Amino acid sequence: MKNNLIVSIIISNYNYDRFLGEAINSALNQTYPHIQVIVVDDGSTDNSRDIIAGYSDRIIPILQPNGKQAAAFNNGFARSKGDIIIFLDADDYLFPHTVEQIVAVWKPERSKVHYRLNVVDTQGKSLGYSSPQGPASLSTGEVWKNLLDKGGYVSTPTSGNALNRRVLEKLFPIPDEYKLTADDYLSFQIPFYGDVAAIEEPLGAYRIHDTNQWALATVTSTRFQRFVRHDLQNFALLTKKAKALDYEIPADLEQRSIGRLWSRIISLRLDSQKHPVPSDRSLNLIYYGIRCLWKYSDFNWQKRLFYSLWFIWVGLMPLPLAKPAITWLYAPQHRPKLVDWSVTRIRALIT
């Protein structure tokens, strides 16, 4: 039965002609035979549509006016026939054995399988770490419990997820209010419809470059303002889903996600005037961050101590001193070698 599963790879593209061919080729060159490749071009003004035309009937092209991510997902899914759906960003790519390994662990009752991605630069050179960062394992099993307990779970960017069509049929079409965050609209709801499996081995590449929507090539206040607004929308979606399913959520759920608190304190420090949560103050966010680390995080005590000091430093130091610590956390490719060495030595001394 597994060998007969159809996998639809839906590539969403907007002005990524310099990356698009690699993404399409990675989908077409899978070792697993039953593949459908759909390429949705979201109103590109570069050479993308000529590249798409060059693949002829090897792919299913969808050429739409610019409607953002939700429209691309909706139109791509409507044309798909796969039992398993992968939404591949056009600036990322899959490894040849990706689908074969997904199918090997697939079960019909699963809502999704997610897998790590190697982080690469514009030229495809590895930056030496994977997404998500850190040693924490990807979440598995009844992940909806993590969502209701901590407001999030350890997962991967869009291209690192293989989704169950049966579940997606309950969630599509994606509303226009999530036109820029369709991936999170799915990520925060899919686990409520079945268990989640994980493959810790990287099965694709996640590219960081200057025109990423979410990945950080540089640290800017506008990016973190977007992250905070994005988190607020996700939290509202999670709350709505929990109420619809008659689940009770903790009163402090919004303060249980360390990633959310990282974004909040960084956004506040980089530009307090445009920070999306006017009531936020550095001291409060330092307290919430340290409380979250020691009460709700899965980090060992060394990391809890290290990140507690990070919150204090970023929250209280003058911005010229705080900003390097922000960069070290969110854009590790820019860490000076001496900093990485120092961090490694500090961790070794306190271990």
Side-chain angles (χ1 to χ4, degrees):
M1 178 64 179
K2 279 189 176 183
N3 292 334
N4 295 324
L5 291 173
I6 298 173
V7 179
S8 295
I9 302 174
I10 302 171
I11 301 172
S12 300
N13 177 70
Y14 175 68
N15 284 346
Y16 279 164
D17 60 355
R18 62 198 187 279
F19 306 130
L20 180 57
E22 188 169 16
I24 295 174
N25 290 337
S26 78
L28 291 173
N29 294 332
Q30 290 295 307
T31 56
Y32 184 80
H34 306 300
I35 298 288
Q36 177 193 43
V37 179
I38 300 170
V39 182
V40 185
D41 185 76
D42 190 37
S44 292
T45 57
D46 61 5
N47 195 44
S48 291
R49 297 198 172 185
D50 290 336
I51 293 171
I52 291 169
Y55 285 90
S56 188
D57 59 359
R58 299 177 66 198
I59 63 174
I60 298 172
I62 299 176
L63 309 179
Q64 65 180 39
N66 186 251
K68 309 302 180 185
Q69 190 184 50
F73 279 22
N74 285 338
N75 290 331
F77 183 66
R79 291 287 300 275
S80 71
K81 60 181 181 181
D83 306 287
I84 302 170
I85 308 293
I86 297 172
F87 290 103
L88 176 64
D89 288 337
D91 52 343
D92 300 335
Y93 57 90
L94 303 176
F95 297 157
H97 57 281
T98 299
V99 173
E100 185 176 351
Q101 292 194 232
I102 292 166
V103 171
V105 301
W106 190 261
K107 292 183 179 178
E109 65 272 16
R110 288 200 165 128
S111 61
K112 75 170 184 174
V113 173
H114 54 178
Y115 42 90
R116 290 188 177 274
L117 300 170
N118 277 339
V119 180
V120 302
D121 65 11
T122 303
Q123 286 74 41
K125 180 182 177 181
S126 174
L127 294 177
Y129 61 98
S130 67
S131 182
Q133 293 183 47
S137 299
L138 296 172
S139 298
T140 60
E142 295 179 311
V143 169
W144 63 270
K145 292 181 178 179
N146 296 69
L147 280 166
L148 295 182
D149 182 53
K150 296 183 179 180
Y153 62 103
V154 182
S155 189
T156 57
T158 308
S159 302
N161 293 271
L163 312 175
N164 192 323
R165 181 183 196 85
R166 173 185 54 81
V167 174
L168 295 181
E169 287 172 345
K170 302 177 187 294
L171 300 175
F172 273 76
I174 299 172
D176 191 59
E177 65 189 283
Y178 299 98
K179 63 183 178 182
L180 296 175
T181 55
D183 47 356
D184 284 307
Y185 171 84
L186 299 176
S187 182
F188 274 76
Q189 296 191 88
I190 282 174
F192 286 98
Y193 296 93
D195 76 340
V196 173
I199 299 173
E200 291 294 337
E201 174 190 353
L203 296 184
Y206 179 60
R207 196 186 308 266
I208 289 183
H209 53 90
D210 290 340
T211 53
N212 279 101
Q213 181 174 337
W214 299 112
L216 284 175
T218 57
V219 171
T220 64
S221 59
T222 53
R223 281 292 178 97
F224 282 94
Q225 291 158 17
R226 184 190 302 169
F227 290 168
V228 173
R229 289 191 293 268
H230 170 71
D231 283 337
L232 293 172
Q233 185 184 44
N234 286 341
F235 183 73
L237 176 64
L238 176 59
T239 303
K240 181 179 178 181
K241 174 61 70 173
K243 288 181 179 178
L245 297 175
D246 204 27
Y247 289 118
E248 184 176 349
I249 63 172
D252 65 344
L253 181 61
E254 194 174 8
Q255 299 163 15
R256 295 187 179 191
S257 168
I258 193 65
R260 183 173 295 122
L261 294 170
W262 276 334
S263 296
R264 289 266 282 271
I265 197 168
I266 292 170
S267 171
L268 178 67
R269 289 309 317 277
L270 291 179
D271 190 343
S272 60
Q273 297 301 310
K274 295 182 179 179
H275 178 59
V277 186
S279 60
D280 275 348
R281 299 292 181 271
S282 285
L283 287 177
N284 289 346
L285 291 173
I286 291 169
Y287 168 73
Y288 292 145
I290 294 174
R291 176 177 178 267
C292 176
L293 284 165
W294 292 92
K295 189 171 183 179
Y296 297 117
S297 82
D298 295 324
F299 296 136
N300 59 32
W301 72 266
Q302 294 96 336
K303 286 193 173 181
R304 291 177 183 178
L305 177 60
F306 183 84
Y307 288 129
S308 294
L309 295 173
W310 182 93
F311 268 102
I312 294 169
W313 183 276
V314 170
L316 298 181
M317 286 291 137
L319 188 57
L321 292 176
K323 196 167 182 178
I326 295 169
T327 301
W328 301 335
L329 179 67
Y330 270 89
Q333 68 272 19
H334 295 309
R335 290 175 185 162
K337 297 292 184 183
L338 179 60
V339 172
D340 274 341
W341 180 85
S342 300
V343 170
T344 301
R345 292 299 300 161
I346 291 170
R347 287 176 176 172
L349 288 171
I350 63 178
T351 300

